[in-house]
Amino acid sequence: MQPIIVKSMKVFTTNQSLHPCLASLKTPASSLGFVPTMGALHQGHLSLIKRAIKENETVVVSIFVNPTQFNNAGDLETYPRDLKQDLKKIESIGSLGEIIVYAPSEAAVYGNSVTKEAFDFGGLELQMEGKFRPGHFQGVGTVVQKLLDIVGPNQAYFGEKDFQQLQIIKKLVKMTKANVKIVACSIEREPSGLAMSSRNIRLTTGERSHASKIYEALKMTKDKFSDTPLDEITQWVADQFEKDAIINLEYFEISEQLTLQPANKIEPQKKYRAFISAYIRNIRLIDN
Ligand code: PAF
């Protein structure tokens, strides 16, 4: 593979400074890619940025810990924040094009009203994460809509680790008729199989390797899916975690991929996906 060379990286913290720069780079023929993040960047984010670089002349990466999507004050407080480190990681990718980092203040994104909109995502927001993190997707929808308005990308990149979020953002774009293509990117995993997440750095080395059990359970689910009744699979997964002193299962669900409705019976023309949320101490991990 050819090495990618850094051409330039610019960092903006206000809309007033970001907009003239974007205006000077955007031409009708060029494409602007956008990778929204909450920082604490890992290989998963970097792979989204790399893909955006390949597919667009200019790429904006936002780094903003969005307060309205946290339903737990402690989680918001302990969310890892290290802008300097994040910038180094972005720089280490290198780019043939231009990378613009947008690291705004709360006021730049929300003005003086840090509130979330009451979106109706047609029920997508009521399943899984929505049940356990009330209001979470209203906060995600609010900030993604604001960021898309501020940045105005042609394409925006989201990881499938947050599969429910991805489906909700696709719905948001449809509902608001936003002129942007949502690009879904597959899950990046550590060598053990653990899905990459900003929260992984809070795990001890032992916990981090033990956490691969979540992926193992999902792989076994996939193996069992064609010939085992759904309730037996669900019970088997529950049993695996029941015996486990380190991981606490929050939910396991097999859902129809488009609507995210829990699967009761399997219809051959539909696609299904299994989802897990689990805790190690107070660290919440999700995978699918
Ligand atoms: O997936 C995330 O990191 C966040 O939910 C997002 C999309 C950047 C919105 O804050």
Side-chain angles (χ1 to χ4, degrees), residues 36-38 45 64 66 69 79 136 140 143-144 147 158 162 165 169:
T37 82
M38 296 208 300
H45 295 114
F64 178 65
N66 172 36
Q69 71 187 76
Y79 201 85
H136 169 67
V140 171
V143 80
V144 170
L147 291 171
F158 293 87
D162 298 299
Q165 167 174 284
I169 287 164

Side-chain angles (χ1 to χ4, degrees), residues 199-200 202-204 207 278-285:
R199 293 162 198 250
N200 293 357
R202 294 177 55 208
L203 299 169
T204 64
E207 288 170 341
Y279 276 92
I280 293 188
R281 291 181 284 116
N282 63 345
I283 303 159
R284 192 165 184 277
L285 303 168

Side-chain angles (χ1 to χ4, degrees), residues 103-159:
S105 63
E106 251 176 52
V109 176
Y110 280 96
N112 43 26
S113 170
V114 186
T115 51
K116 50 188 162 199
E117 269 189 54
F119 289 106
D120 174 354
F121 294 116
L124 288 172
E125 75 282 23
L126 304 176
Q127 307 298 332
M128 299 181 290
E129 293 298 283
K131 282 187 198 149
F132 289 92
R133 303 184 69 186
H136 169 67
F137 288 120
Q138 311 301 344
V140 171
T142 302
V143 80
V144 170
Q145 187 177 31
K146 286 181 186 295
L147 291 171
L148 291 175
D149 278 352
I150 293 168
V151 175
N154 302 98
Q155 316 201 78
Y157 294 74
F158 293 87

